[in-house]
Each structure stands twice: as C-alpha cells, then as structure tokens.
Amino acid sequence: MNGAAWLHLASSVLVYSGPSWRAATILARRWTSDAGAGAGRALASPRGRRLDVLADALGLVGMAGLLWAACATMTDRPLADVGPMMGTLLGTTAVGRTGLVSLGLLASVTIVDVGRRPSRRREGGVLGLLALFAFSRACAGHAGDSGLFSFDVLVEAVHLSSVAVWFGIVAVAAWFALPACAARDLPGTLRSLSETATIALAGVVASGLYNAWERVGSVQNLAGNAYGVTLVAKLAFVAGAVALGAYNRFIGFPALTRSTAARARVMAILRIESLLLLAALAAAARLVTQEPPAARDVASGRSACQGKVKSCVKLLPAVSVTGGAVFVVPPTDAMGVYVAAAPASGMKASTELGSYAATSGAATGRASV
Amino acid sequence: MRVVRSTAAGWAAGLLLATPLAWSHAHLRNSVPAAQAQLAAAPSAIVLTFDERIEPAMSSIAIKDAAGHDAAKAASHADASDPATMRLDLPALVPGAYTVRWVAVGRDGHRRTGEFTFTVKG
C-alpha cells in the first residue's frame, strides 16, 4: 500500500466512524429517555455534545482526506504534489463534485450541532442531512452509472449502514453511555442496545451474502487475490464481534446486576466488540479500493462463467479448435473481454481462459484444455 | 415500538455511511487500431473504448515511435458522443512500429493503465 492507499484507509475509517457515532448518540438518546437516566444526562451534557461535534469534525476531516487520496490515486502523484490538481478534481470529476457536496452536508451537520442543545427537532434535521450525505456518497463511483436507486447500490448501502449502526451503538454504549448509566437502568438500556444490534446484524448478514455472491462468485475466488483476503479478514472481525455480542446477550447481560465484576466484564467485552467492528469498517473501506474477483474475471476472461453460464454464452459467438488451444473469436475487431461459456469440441465447461492476444485486428482468447 | 422507530431512524442515518463498492476498474474494450495490427495506411487517430465512463481530465493516450519519441503533440480528449471513448488525433505517421500507452480513470476514481503496439507498413 502506498501513501494514498493508507490515507484513503484512514480517511474512510473517519468518514464511517464519525457520523456513525453521531447517528448512534441520537439513537441512544431515544433509549435513554425511558431507561438509564444517568446515560441520558451524560449524552445531553456539554461533554456529550462536544463529542458529537468532534465526531462531525472527524467526518469532515475524513472526507477531505478521501478527496486528497483520490486525487493522488487518479493523477498517480505523490500526496505532497496533488495540491495543484485538486481544483481539477473538484471541478471536473464525479469524485470531486460529489465529494464537495458530501463535505458541504457534513459541514452543515457540524453547524447545526455546534453550540446548541439537542432536541428531537434538531436531531431530525441532523438525520435528514446525514441521509442527504448518504445519497451524495452513493452517487459517487459506479452507482451513478447503474442508476441512483439500483438494487445493488441499495444492498451495498444497507450492508455498510448496518455495520456502521452496529459499530456506532456498540461504541457509544461501551465508551460513553453505559459507564454513566445507573445500575438499575442497565437492563433496560442493554435490552434496547441488544435489539438494535440484532436488527443491524440481520442486515449485515442478508446483504453480505448477496454481495459475496455477486462480487466473489465462488468460494475458490476468496483465495489468491487481495479482495478475497480482505473480505476474509472482514468476515473474521465480524464473526468475532458476533461471538462477543452473543456472549454478552445470553451470559453477560443476565448476570450484570449480580456484581461489579460482571458489569466490568460486560463493559470490557463491549469495548473489544467495538474495536473489532472498527476493524471491520477499515476492511470494508479497503474493499472499496480493490477489484472484486468476479468483476476481474469478467474483464480478463477467467472463469467468469461459474454459476452464470447462461449469461456468458451470449459472449461466445464462435469457438474453433486449433492444435491444443481453443480460440474464442469475437464478432468484431476488438481486443478485450471474451469468456468461454459452454462446452465445445475439446473443451470443458469449466475451461479457464488464459491470456488473450490480438492478431490482424481481431482479438482472440486462448484457453487451455 | 420506540426501539423499532429508533432503529429505523438509525438505519436512515446509517445510509450516510454507504459508499458503493467499485465493481471493477475501467477495462479497455476496443481499440482502433487494434493491438498488434499491421496497417497498410497510417491511422488518423487512436480511438480507445472502455467498459465504463472515464474522466477525461484524468485520462490520457500517448503514442511513441520505435525510438521512444512522442509521435503526437496533441492531447487526447473524450469522445463527445460516448463518455466511455477516448481519442487522440494523429499527425501523418511515418512507417514503423508504434507503442500506445493509455491511462483510464473511471468515474469512481480508479486508475488503470495499459499499452499495445501496432505497425504502419512502408
């Protein structure tokens, strides 16, 4: 990873975790209005509001860092040299324009939060601004090409937002709200926390399975490529968090009121869970910069047909066998993407295309048999 | 009910964290002239078509002759009718081998590079 990749990673974590904290404190205030009065006071205290503004600021810094890293990546320049190109980035590219909108929305959230007491109306406004911010982020990248409300974008949004809400509520509860919660109010507050985390987990699992199928294609694709390794690491972090959450829900919370040691153990486990989820967010941020194996397969012509033979057949206009190799001949003079899709003479259904080369103006795909 | 409402609000807010995953980087789908082409007549332009829209300000085509010198002084530009196509207008090329190097930055900011050669016959 170069400097731009590290900056992108760090900035992404800030963009995820800062607003995630902000959304979670709004949620937590809802819980603590009928349970955990001590936690409610802490969230509404000057210190709690300062933390909200700090979270807003971290999101802003992260967004600026994302744009800086994007400029370095897009221009292939060192981070220190991209300053003169930032104007071009912000003024002429989709990444820059949507980034500017995102920055403006986060700045608006910060302005709303600074120096004002929280109220339901104000928090509703913050949620609205955050929703607009979400829309601006969704417009960046390929989502803009596939349609603003495409199913894949929706699924990805649900997946990342589920992880983020999960992280936010666990982090807010573990590091701020629960330590201030009176012992008698803990069970009610933790019940609300647990119910929300369970709903978020359901979103993570459902959308994660869909994404894994679409982007990885097969279990074999998890190995031998950076995307697969990062995805496995992310799954490990999430699995660890699930295990800790399950322990707390079924063992830790019921024993909470019995001793101070039990309470300390629950807090410690919640904090470890929040750190695991932060690591999962970092892995998710890293995945955004990596090319999924399924997409790479389609582009390079390697085993893109696993599980999708019908759609690939259309890409295979003709097959001829010459010597020990199969050549896939495209219909037009072109170099690029052709995949073997159906069994042909001397060719297995699972044939993988190797390199492809262009000759006499027509591209050919070469496959081993 | 309060928890459900709060959760729904949280999900809506959580959408702010959504960043669409990049499905792929820009891949070259078609080139004129084709890679390794042997041309009887010099082409008037290099035209590259990718499988997704590209950012013209961040993308480029360069052409070098066999000695490694720039064979075209003009800058490449996006095709007005197809945002996935990039074009470099050429001067009259003398016979010889040429190498085309391209940089394509997708709309999502991902950068991809590549090169191919072709020959103009004498």
Side-chain angles (χ1 to χ4, degrees), chain B residues 2 16 23 26 32-33 49-50 54 71-72 92 103 109 118-119:
Chain B
R2 184 183 299 279
L16 69 95
W23 282 98
V32 178
T49 302
F50 296 87
I54 58 170
V103 174
F118 69 89
T119 303

Side-chain angles (χ1 to χ4, degrees), chain A residues 12-169:
Chain A
S12 296
V13 170
L14 292 180
V15 166
Y16 290 156
S17 56
S20 178
W21 178 282
R22 184 68 192 93
T25 57
I26 294 175
L27 276 178
R29 284 194 186 102
R30 300 290 193 272
W31 304 335
T32 53
S33 62
D34 60 355
R41 277 197 300 274
L43 287 163
S45 68
R47 180 167 172 260
R49 280 154 43 204
R50 279 198 300 272
L51 284 175
D52 283 348
V53 174
L54 177 62
D56 296 342
L58 289 178
L60 272 174
V61 170
M63 198 59 234
L66 270 185
L67 288 173
W68 198 269
C71 193
T73 300
M74 293 168 76
T75 59
D76 197 28
R77 294 185 179 198
L79 287 170
D81 297 342
V82 302
M85 292 300 294
M86 283 301 290
T88 303
L89 176 87
L90 298 175
T92 67
T93 70
V95 168
R97 289 168 179 160
T98 54
L100 270 181
V101 173
S102 301
L103 270 174
L105 289 165
L106 284 183
S108 301
V109 170
T110 307
I111 291 169
V112 170
D113 280 341
V114 168
R116 292 180 173 86
R117 288 186 175 279
S119 68
R120 276 188 171 268
R121 190 175 177 182
R122 196 161 291 124
E123 288 176 348
V126 168
L127 287 177
L129 288 169
L130 294 180
L132 287 174
F133 175 69
F135 185 74
S136 74
R137 299 314 304 146
C139 289
H142 290 266
D145 283 337
S146 59
L148 299 182
F149 302 104
S150 65
F151 184 68
D152 287 342
V153 170
L154 176 65
V155 171
E156 179 65 12
V158 168
H159 185 68
L160 290 176
S161 60
S162 298
V163 176
V165 168
W166 186 10
F167 163 73
I169 58 172

Side-chain angles (χ1 to χ4, degrees), chain A residues 16 19 27 30 73-74 76 94 127 130 134 137 140-142 145 160-161 164-165 215 227 291-292 295 299 333-335 358, chain B residues 3 6 10 13-25 27 29-30 35-36 52-53 55 107-111:
Chain A
Y16 290 156
L27 276 178
R30 300 290 193 272
T73 300
M74 293 168 76
D76 197 28
L127 287 177
L130 294 180
R137 299 314 304 146
H142 290 266
D145 283 337
L160 290 176
S161 60
V165 168
R215 290 163 192 169
Y227 188 95
E291 191 172 27
D333 290 355
M335 61 178 293
Chain B
V3 169
S6 299
L15 286 173
L16 69 95
L17 306 167
T19 302
L21 185 141
W23 282 98
S24 65
H25 304 341
H27 293 274
R29 199 178 69 196
N30 186 37
Q36 300 179 19
E52 64 176 38
R53 284 196 285 175
E55 294 287 3
R107 194 175 167 279
D108 60 347
H110 288 140
R111 176 187 175 92

